[in-house]
Amino acid sequence: MSRTALALAAATALAAGCGSADDRGAPAAVPDTLRYVTAGAAASATDDPHGGILNQSDLARFALVYDVLAKPGADGGTELRLAESITPDAALTRWTVTLRPGATFTDGKPVTAADALFSLRRIHGKSAENFGRMTMFDLDASRVVDDSTVELVTTKPYAEVPRALESVTFVVPDGTTDFTRPVPGSGPFTQVEGTPEAAVLERNDGWWGPAPALRRVEVRAVIDPQARAQAVLTGQADVAIGVNPATAEQVKGNADYAVVHREAITLYPFVMRLDQAPFDDVRVREAIKLAADRDALVDKVFLGYGKAGGDLITPADPISPDLPARTRDVTRARALLAQAGHGGGLNLTLHTTTSYPGMDTAALLFAEQLREIGVTAEVETAPPDTYWTEVWGQQPFYVGFFGGIPFLDVARVSLLSDAPTNETGWKRPEWDAGFDAALATADPAERTKQLGQLQTALRDEGGYVVWGAGDGLDLVRAGVEGLPTGPGFESSFIERTRLTR
């Protein structure tokens, strides 16, 4: 048995003995080891915090070991971490980032501006892996001002730099490029043993922030959501991230468990590529959108744990406009198809997979709904290990996935003409110009208005059928408190989680 397996077995035995009085009648100690199971596959595991991070397990581990300049706050705003302040010049092209005093790495050395700028440059250097996280910056022109101050230069006026720094800005020591062995971290925990699939971390008592209540965190990567749920149900774990709605129904009313909801963050949009027939015709795209019975999809796929969507791609983002859900209209959908030359019917293939709970169910149910407008959609289900490399972004019609990332990130990754994964072929120079104009607008209210107009245009003419948004569902045993409830990246910061019994 490996050291990690021994550690996990020991922790399981410890937890199994907690929660009751010992033989002498003394109260049992409150455990201080969190056993945390989340999504992750061995084939895509990584130790590099700056490259492509495909596993939620890796992201959670990095968020414990390496601190960031900023992160999304629970209130939707920016929560500063290693950055104490982020302030722009009048042109919104030069931003001064002042680092928090007293922050150190686990080897005792201070976190400096040189470390921060090196880390940002390294992230930018790996743009092909991380979907261009830092492409809004000219990091060659950026500079270290002094030990605690960095001046960041943007390629064009960019009013949302604090939000840009909310992403994976993990700060490592200047010059670090080899992550095959542990390196000094800047976060609240340090990895003491294990592998990316089963890591053991201990509290870093030298961290600048409030001391975590947990002394130890064990992070395990498990790809199957049902297996993650079983880990909690059988006492092998305290937390399972991303479980099936059926599991939430299973434990309803059981005081031994609780389900933590992260509201309306899971999207399985039906994706249509604008550069491939028949979806190069806006009438076809509108007809497909009008065919969706959104309430039925939410009830069937998410078992009601979610809400119907109106084709906005980031409905949980505070900067998304408040628009009504789209209403099903079979008559108009048929008329639009006839106008587009498909009055005699249309045959399509809808691709899907089983990577996330309900993706295949969504495709099958939508295929039934499409029949009512004269579309015959054959559903093809690909295995999860090949779907995201051989189907996603390539086939003309398929089921996609978004997990709560904000609109600015979706635009950068998937919507701008030069986006690295422009999965719908949405290439509109005037839309790109509007995006730049919005980000050059200093007034937050006016900027939000302009960004809302861009999202509305995408809803009306784009290639996404966003029929609903499901809740993120995390299964915890009784006594687990403080698990993050926000969308996207915020959910990976678990150092404030605590155990009460």
Side-chain angles (χ1 to χ4, degrees):
M1 184 179 289
S2 69
R3 293 178 64 196
T4 301
L6 283 169
L8 293 173
T12 300
L14 173 64
C18 293
S20 61
D22 64 18
D23 293 342
R24 294 166 296 180
V30 175
D32 57 6
T33 295
L34 180 73
R35 300 163 303 165
Y36 182 88
V37 180
T38 187
S44 50
T46 180
D47 280 313
D48 190 334
H50 296 156
I53 305 174
L54 301 179
N55 285 346
Q56 287 296 319
S57 53
D58 292 333
L59 196 58
R61 183 165 50 93
F62 295 152
L64 290 168
V65 174
Y66 306 107
D67 214 343
V68 290
L69 294 173
K71 64 181 272 297
D75 61 355
T78 298
E79 178 184 325
L80 299 179
R81 297 276 287 207
L82 288 174
E84 185 178 54
S85 64
I86 305 172
T87 55
D89 67 355
L92 300 174
T93 55
R94 291 181 183 273
W95 289 74
T96 300
V97 179
T98 303
L99 298 183
R100 180 181 302 280
T104 60
F105 291 105
T106 47
D107 63 0
K109 294 181 180 178
V111 176
T112 68
D115 299 317
L117 184 56
F118 167 79
S119 300
L120 295 179
R121 283 174 171 163
R122 190 165 186 274
I123 296 167
H124 183 57
K126 290 179 171 288
S127 289
E129 300 176 36
N130 59 38
F131 307 110
R133 290 282 182 188
M134 296 291 118
T135 53
M136 66 288 293
F137 295 110
D138 181 347
L139 290 169
D140 289 334
S142 301
R143 67 189 180 99
V144 170
V145 177
D146 57 37
D147 283 349
S148 61
T149 310
V150 181
E151 182 183 73
L152 294 179
V153 179
T154 57
T155 58
K156 57 186 73 171
Y158 198 93
E160 296 282 1
V161 162
R163 285 196 177 274
L165 296 178
E166 287 178 5
S167 66
V168 292
T169 55
F170 297 117
V171 175
V172 303
D174 185 5
T176 304
T177 58
D178 182 2
F179 292 89
T180 57
R181 291 180 296 179
V183 304
S186 52
F189 283 78
T190 185
Q191 184 169 338
V192 294
E193 63 178 300
T195 64
E197 296 86 48
V200 179
L201 303 95
E202 290 188 348
R203 185 172 58 214
N204 170 19
D205 291 324
W207 186 53
W208 63 268
L214 299 169
R215 181 184 60 85
R216 193 176 176 97
V217 178
E218 297 166 3
V219 179
R220 272 192 288 161
V222 177
I223 191 65
D224 179 58
Q226 187 58 37
R228 293 196 294 273
Q230 280 300 115
V232 173
L233 296 173
T234 58
Q236 301 298 308
D238 303 302
V239 175
I241 299 297
V243 300
N244 292 321
T247 299
E249 290 290 292
Q250 177 186 348
V251 302
K252 187 179 288 184
N254 188 332
D256 292 334
Y257 306 102
V259 175
V260 177
H261 290 243
R262 289 175 283 117
E263 293 187 1
I265 62 164
T266 301
L267 274 61
Y268 303 150
F270 303 119
V271 181
M272 302 174 283
R273 285 204 63 96
L274 277 62
D275 54 2
Q276 297 187 39
F279 304 113
D280 53 351
D281 189 323
V282 69
R283 296 169 295 187
V284 174
R285 300 197 295 274
E286 184 180 353
I288 298 295
K289 293 172 184 175
L290 289 171
D293 183 340
R294 294 150 198 269
D295 289 331
L297 281 159
V298 170
D299 288 343
K300 184 74 172 181
V301 177
F302 297 130
L303 301 184
Y305 292 100
K307 60 183 181 182
D311 296 329
L312 287 171
I313 195 64
T314 55
D317 192 324
I319 67 170
S320 287
D322 185 14
L323 300 175
R326 197 184 292 273
T327 302
R328 192 181 199 213
D329 190 336
V330 172
T331 301
R332 176 162 172 73
R334 283 183 170 275
L336 285 166
L337 288 178
Q339 292 172 21
H342 304 293
L346 180 62
N347 295 320
L348 300 172
T349 300
L350 176 56
H351 298 267
T352 189
T353 187
T354 56
S355 291
Y356 297 95
M359 290 182 75
D360 50 343
T361 304
L364 290 168
L365 181 56
F366 192 45
E368 293 177 10
Q369 296 173 357
L370 286 170
R371 285 198 196 101
E372 296 184 49
I373 67 167
V375 172
T376 301
E378 179 183 354
V379 175
E380 286 194 3
T381 303
D385 56 348
T386 58
Y387 185 78
W388 304 100
T389 54
E390 297 179 4
V391 176
W392 178 77
Q394 300 175 45
Q395 294 295 335
F397 194 32
Y398 63 93
V399 181
F401 171 79
F402 284 107
I405 65 174
F407 173 69
L408 295 177
D409 279 355
V410 174
R412 172 180 51 77
V413 172
S414 299
L415 296 173
L416 294 170
S417 296
D418 60 353
T421 57
N422 194 325
E423 61 176 339
T424 61
W426 173 261
K427 296 184 178 181
R428 302 285 178 90
E430 70 279 10
W431 197 90
D432 297 352
F435 188 77
D436 289 343
L439 289 175
T441 301
D443 180 68
E446 176 59 25
R447 185 167 65 253
T448 298
K449 176 184 175 183
Q450 294 179 32
L451 291 171
Q453 292 169 343
L454 294 171
Q455 293 170 78
T456 302
L458 178 70
R459 179 201 64 166
D460 293 341
E461 300 178 25
Y464 291 107
V465 185
V466 185
W467 50 268
D471 294 349
L473 301 172
D474 305 328
L475 178 65
V476 304
R477 70 162 179 84
V480 176
E481 297 183 0
L483 202 65
T485 57
F489 191 43
E490 199 268 335
S491 65
S492 298
F493 289 82
I494 62 171
E495 80 275 359
R496 293 166 189 165
T497 304
R498 59 191 181 279
L499 301 173
T500 61
R501 57 191 168 102

